Amino acid sequence: MAYKIGEAARKVGCKVETVRFYEQAGLLPEPARSEGNFRLYSDTHLEQLRFIRHCRSLDIPLDDIRTLLQLKERPAENCTDINQVIDEQIVRVDAQLESLKQLRASLLTLRSQCVSGEAENTCDILRELMGCSCHDLQADKQIR
């Protein structure tokens, strides 16, 4: 069966722009065209779109999705390369979790600076946020 782009997008639960983006990124093969020059997506396209969307829901980067799609086309090979892609994603997620823990700790520290309902002009949280030098131009140059 053939689907126009809007219908294909609806069937997989995304926007038309998303389908175009994946096509332009080389993750989705170019579809056939109708006599009126409409893109015509097949069930195979929809299956691949679902695969891509599931990977994106796991925050897998586009380059890794591209690799997984290539590996998917070689089903006789073992899973070592697929496992490596997923293991790398797990490492990235662990790093994000650690970063979020640090962010949470910073916010808790900031929040602990104001325990009273004082006026805004004496709020220690606002004073701390305004007095922070960690985002000065000089500090940014040193960090890089």
Side-chain angles (χ1 to χ4, degrees), residues 52-96:
I52 294 165
R53 288 194 25 86
H54 191 174
C55 288
R56 290 302 298 143
S57 75
L58 297 170
D59 208 25
I60 297 174
L62 296 180
D63 285 340
D64 287 351
I65 295 172
R66 191 173 289 108
T67 299
L68 290 171
L69 287 168
Q70 292 166 354
L71 294 169
K72 186 173 154 262
E73 296 303 315
R74 302 189 312 251
E77 294 183 23
N78 69 35
C79 295
T80 303
D81 292 337
I82 296 169
N83 287 336
Q84 182 178 347
V85 170
I86 299 305
D87 288 344
E88 289 169 1
Q89 182 60 11
I90 291 168
V91 168
R92 283 189 291 270
V93 167
D94 287 343
Q96 288 174 335

Side-chain angles (χ1 to χ4, degrees), residues 21-36:
F21 175 79
Y22 291 146
E23 192 178 327
Q24 290 170 350
L27 295 174
L28 192 62
E30 190 173 322
R33 296 279 183 159
S34 69
E35 288 182 23

